[in-house]
Structure formats: C-alpha cells, structure tokens
C-alpha cells in the first residue's frame, strides 16, 4: 500500500497537438522558449524549457537541508504525445514514468518506476484506464482485485465532471469550456474561477499541456488525477481564483505584439507567485 500511495503522490505531481505553425495576421506565432516560476518575487522555484511549444526539460527547486534542483526530461511519441519522463536528483535517476495511448490518443496506462538513490534498485507500479460511455475507471496495480480504484465521469463534451476515489467525490463545473468550480467532498472545500472575457490569448502559453496530451480532454485529468491541468489549459486568461475563503487575482503583462510575458498572482495586495514567459 505504501508503494501505491507513493505512486499516486508521483501521479499527482506530474503536466491533439495544436499546430506549431498556426498564424496571427498571416505571421507565424512565437514559440515558447522558457517559463520561470517564482515564489513571491524572490527566487525561482521551477523552470520549464520548451521545444515546439512542449515541455522538454523541467528544473525544480528541492527544499531540503541543502537547496538543490531536480531535473526532469520529457519525451514524446511519433504522434507528439508525452510518452516518457525521467527525473534526476544529483544526476541520478530516481523516477521514470511511461504512458501508453490507444489509437484515438486516449491514455490507457501509466507506469511509474521508482529508483533508490543509494543503489538504483527499482520498484514499479502502474495504473490502467478502461473506458465505457460516460465513465473511465482507473486501477492501480496489475491485479484489479487488489488495486486502488478511481472513477471518472465524463459529460457529452468530453469533460470530466466528477472523480470518485477512496469513498469521496470531487465535482467540477465548466463555463464556456473553462473550469468554473471544483468542489471537494474530502476537504469540504470549493474552488471557483473567473476569466478575462476581453483579452484574446495569443501564442501557446495556455495550450502547452494540451500540446503534450492531445485533443482528448480527459487526458489532462487522467495524467494528473485532478483538475490542475484543466485550469492551466483554459481558453481565456485566468482572472480570479477563490479557495479557502481567499481570493487570488491575476495580473498579466504583454509584449508589443500582445503575447503574455509575465503573470502575477496576488493575494491581499501581495505578490505570492509570478511567472515570466519567454519566447524563441
């Protein structure tokens, strides 16, 4: 059970290929180069490097006795879908994930390999997804009778609106294709979101998770066992997010061509996080 819990922790931690040659006013769009995430306005905690508007490498700050960085490399299959990640600490492999898809681009299996940093011994766990109309079932482990079940319920627009796991339910609602609210029975909490209806997004800042996981929208939830990537993949810029009775507001800065180059997350007048977006 400990291994399975570790698997789901790793599974929770992880992020149709849209055209890389789409255009605005007849000109080729800028491609993402790097996104740097800051805690407050002080130091970077995460840096994403891109290739063809898809994550290629992640550098993640490790808070421990000594500050250090983890590195994760991302690999894609011939269809452009995320197929493998390899995570390193002190240049030693400690985590690898492998994803399998069916012929329509739906995730059907995720296998996680855990490696000891001492002797590189390997432990394996996996999760398998099965599909039926309106429902996706996830089973951890090779034996369904002993596995951990997640049940995902899908509406007619191919959006997951409910997740049942460990006897509790998480429910989502949508507005114009964007996540509007998430209600967690486990934590008795509600998260709600609003979006900017005036600004028209440019570039693939809001699309890079879709670029990784394809046209089948449930992949965003199945790859993360939650709605975090759905929130990150809205078709409008996030304006406010309310959770635990606190409301975060979001401010964007744009370059002269209208591409977003900075996003600030503000709570009670203070910048609590910031993203700096760079293009090739």
């Amino acid at each position: 059970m400990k291994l399975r819990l570790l698997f789901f922790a790793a599974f929770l931690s992880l992020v149709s290929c849209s055209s890389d040659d789409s255009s605005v006013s007849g000109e080729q769009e800028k491609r993402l180069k790097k996104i740097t995430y800051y805690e407050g306005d002080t130091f970077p905690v995460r840096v994403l490097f891109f290739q063809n508007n898809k994550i290629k490498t992640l550098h993640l700050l490790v808070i421990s006795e000594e500050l250090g960085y983890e590195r994760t490399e991302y690999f894609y299959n011939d269809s452009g879908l995320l197929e493998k990640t390899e995570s390193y600490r002190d240049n030693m492999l400690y985590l690898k994930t492998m994803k399998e898809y069916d012929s329509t681009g739906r995730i059907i299996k995720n296998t996680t390999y855990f490696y000891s940093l001492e002797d590189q011994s390997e432990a394996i766990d996996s999760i398998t997804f099965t599909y039926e109309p309106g429902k996706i079932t996830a089973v951890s482990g090779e034996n369904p009778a002993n596995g951990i079940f997640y049940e995902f319920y899908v509406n007619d627009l191919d959006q997951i609106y409910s997740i049942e796991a460990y006897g509790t339910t998480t429910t989502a609602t949508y507005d114009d294709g964007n996540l509007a609210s998430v209600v967690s029975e486990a934590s008795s909490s509600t998260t709600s979101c609003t979006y900017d209806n005036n600004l028209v997004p440019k570039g693939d800042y809001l699309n890079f998770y879709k670029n990784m996981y394809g046209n089948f929208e449930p992949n965003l939830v199945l790859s993360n066992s939650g709605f975090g990537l759905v929130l990150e993949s809205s078709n409008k810029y996030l304006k406010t997010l309310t959770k635990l009775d606190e409301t975060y507001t979001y401010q964007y800065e744009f370059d002269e061509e209208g591409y977003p180059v900075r996003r600030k997350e503000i709570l009670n007048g203070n910048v609590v996080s910031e993203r700096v977006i760079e293009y090739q």
Side-chain angles (χ1 to χ4, degrees):
M1 177 61 71
K2 183 177 179 181
L3 176 58
R4 292 198 176 106
L5 291 176
L6 283 172
F7 166 75
F8 278 103
F11 192 56
L12 285 166
S13 70
L14 287 179
V15 324
S16 92
C17 304
S18 63
S19 172
D20 292 324
D21 296 316
S22 56
S23 61
V24 175
S25 302
E27 297 181 3
Q28 183 175 353
E29 283 198 345
K30 292 182 178 180
R31 296 189 179 191
L32 292 167
K33 176 182 179 181
K34 181 171 72 171
I35 300 178
T36 305
Y37 295 72
Y38 292 88
E39 190 72 30
D41 56 0
T42 53
F43 56 87
V45 295
R46 182 165 49 142
V47 183
L48 299 178
F49 296 90
F50 290 83
Q51 183 175 323
N52 296 327
N53 287 330
K54 299 173 186 175
I55 300 174
K56 181 60 179 174
T57 308
L58 160 67
H59 287 180
L60 179 68
L61 180 66
V62 179
I63 305 297
S64 59
E65 293 181 1
E66 295 182 3
L67 293 179
Y69 277 91
E70 295 179 0
R71 182 183 86 255
T72 300
E73 303 289 342
Y74 290 70
F75 303 88
Y76 299 86
N77 63 20
D78 292 340
S79 298
L81 300 173
L82 182 64
E83 181 178 51
K84 180 176 70 170
T85 65
E86 293 181 348
S87 298
Y88 297 84
R89 185 177 297 169
D90 296 327
N91 290 319
M92 293 187 66
L93 180 67
Y94 78 94
L95 183 71
K96 179 171 70 174
T97 66
M98 300 290 295
K99 300 181 186 297
E100 300 176 26
Y101 302 83
D102 66 13
S103 60
T104 65
R106 303 181 303 184
I107 293 177
I108 56 175
K109 190 171 185 179
N110 189 102
T111 304
T112 303
Y113 302 83
F114 303 92
Y115 298 91
S116 166
L117 291 178
E118 287 74 25
D119 59 10
Q120 288 289 282
S121 58
E122 181 183 83
I124 303 173
D125 204 354
S126 64
I127 186 166
T128 302
F129 301 98
T130 58
Y131 294 82
E132 56 187 285
K135 182 179 176 181
I136 304 168
T137 300
V139 179
S140 175
E142 299 301 326
N143 185 349
N146 297 326
I148 300 173
F149 289 85
Y150 274 59
E151 293 180 327
F152 304 85
Y153 293 88
V154 185
N155 63 22
D156 292 338
L157 299 177
D158 271 346
Q159 297 165 325
I160 290 177
Y161 65 87
S162 180
I163 304 173
E164 293 186 5
Y166 305 104
T168 62
T169 302
T170 302
T171 304
T173 61
Y174 296 85
D175 180 21
D176 192 27
N178 295 318
L179 195 65
S181 68
V182 177
V183 179
S184 172
E185 185 179 86
S187 60
S188 300
S189 65
T190 299
T191 300
S192 58
C193 316
T194 66
Y195 300 86
D196 192 314
N197 292 315
N198 298 315
L199 292 173
V200 178
K202 293 187 67 174
D204 268 22
Y205 166 65
L206 297 179
N207 294 328
F208 66 82
Y209 285 117
K210 294 179 182 177
N211 294 346
M212 294 167 61
Y213 289 111
N215 273 334
F216 187 58
E217 185 164 334
N219 282 350
L220 293 173
V221 177
L222 302 179
S223 65
N224 196 52
S225 271
F227 294 99
L229 299 191
V230 177
L231 177 64
E232 294 285 352
S233 304
S234 58
N235 56 50
K236 300 176 182 177
Y237 295 119
L238 183 65
K239 188 175 181 180
T240 67
L241 185 148
T242 301
K243 59 182 178 180
L244 301 177
D245 297 323
E246 293 185 317
T247 297
Y248 299 78
T249 60
Y250 298 87
Q251 293 181 357
Y252 296 83
E253 296 178 14
F254 302 89
D255 64 14
E256 65 280 359
E257 297 172 79
Y259 289 87
V261 294
R262 188 181 300 268
R263 192 195 85 166
K264 294 181 178 181
E265 182 181 50
I266 299 170
L267 177 64
N268 299 325
N270 299 313
V271 176
V272 295
S273 70
E274 187 171 350
R275 301 177 184 183
V276 175
I277 306 158
E278 301 176 39
Y279 300 89
Q280 295 179 353

